[in-house]
Amino acid sequence: MSFSVQYPQINVNVQGSNHVEDLREGKVDLAVRFSTTTEKLKSPLLNVDVVGDDACYPVCTPTLQSRLSIHHPEHLLKVRLLSLEGESVVNWESWFEHVGVSFTPKKLQKTLVTSSDLSLSAVLAGHGAMLASDIMVGSYLRSGQLVKLSDIPHPARWKSHLVSLKNSPKQKRIQIFSNWIKEHLVNEAI
């Protein structure tokens, strides 16, 4: 059931951004933040709740997998690799090292993007492969629009966090929305 149907008295405005908003400014009541660690998000001013923990796998369209005959991790060396600009933990270099594929970083066919949404759009259009978590691409994998290219996950995992100010005057509404998100994340993962 949609949140707005269940709670019509609570208005929700969604703002998508890779920028980490300062919740103290009052423009954002609840942030969904993705990180490989919870520690760097913690602050005496914030409630930080881990609501998910996902492995990342290389994915692409079935058409690209078939056209380039991608069946082993080393086959990804010949694929356009979409990578999030500035990402130093969940990246192709560390995945290749983890799976034991020898490579030269300068020879990787990488395209850096500024958001995971841009990467996902390019991958869905058949322009390459990306490292993605189930929370991001699970529905595309289940529908057959994307396929996993390896059963070996990246060694780092993405954690999903709900972050809010401890002293927010909207704490009751924030808690209702947080509980709804948690319930639906669990149901989507099944």
Side-chain angles (χ1 to χ4, degrees):
M1 178 185 300
S2 150
F3 181 82
S4 60
V5 170
Q6 193 172 354
Y7 300 98
Q9 74 281 10
I10 300 176
N11 293 324
V12 177
N13 299 318
V14 178
Q15 174 186 355
S17 170
N18 277 353
H19 176 71
V20 177
E21 297 289 336
D22 185 346
L23 298 178
R24 293 173 297 175
E25 292 179 4
K27 296 178 187 174
V28 176
D29 298 321
L30 178 69
V32 179
R33 297 208 173 130
F34 302 96
S35 176
T36 55
T37 176
T38 301
E39 292 306 312
K40 70 180 184 178
L41 299 175
K42 288 188 176 178
S43 158
L45 302 174
L46 300 175
N47 293 317
V48 178
D49 193 7
V50 179
V51 293
D53 186 321
D54 276 340
C56 293
Y57 294 89
V59 299
C60 76
T61 62
T63 304
L64 184 66
Q65 180 189 31
S66 176
R67 185 170 53 86
L68 296 180
S69 193
I70 307 166
H71 301 290
H72 301 289
E74 61 270 8
H75 295 164
L76 281 160
L77 294 173
K78 62 184 177 186
V79 176
R80 172 65 46 195
L81 305 172
L82 288 116
S83 191
L84 194 56
E85 186 176 60
E87 177 53 52
S88 61
V89 178
V90 180
N91 58 40
W92 285 105
E93 292 82 356
S94 54
W95 183 78
F96 282 123
E97 288 172 6
H98 178 67
V99 298
V101 172
S102 180
F103 67 97
T104 305
K106 288 184 180 182
K107 292 191 178 184
L108 293 179
Q109 299 176 48
K110 283 178 55 176
T111 297
L112 297 177
V113 294
T114 56
S115 80
S116 51
D117 291 340
L118 289 172
S119 185
L120 179 58
S121 293
V123 169
L124 286 167
H127 298 300
M130 70 184 287
L131 289 165
S133 67
D134 188 58
I135 197 167
M136 177 177 223
V137 299
S139 63
Y140 298 104
L141 292 169
R142 289 186 288 281
S143 72
Q145 292 174 277
L146 294 177
V147 293
K148 276 187 190 176
L149 300 172
S150 172
D151 288 329
I152 304 170
H154 192 283
R157 296 175 65 88
W158 281 114
K159 293 173 181 25
S160 308
H161 304 83
L162 297 178
V163 182
S164 63
L165 282 175
K166 284 184 177 176
N167 64 353
S168 172
K170 300 176 185 175
Q171 200 59 33
K172 186 175 178 181
R173 290 177 177 206
I174 292 168
Q175 192 59 53
I176 290 169
F177 191 59
S178 294
N179 291 341
W180 184 88
I181 289 174
K182 290 178 210 174
E183 177 185 329
H184 285 77
L185 278 176
V186 169
N187 289 339
E188 287 294 316
I190 294 174

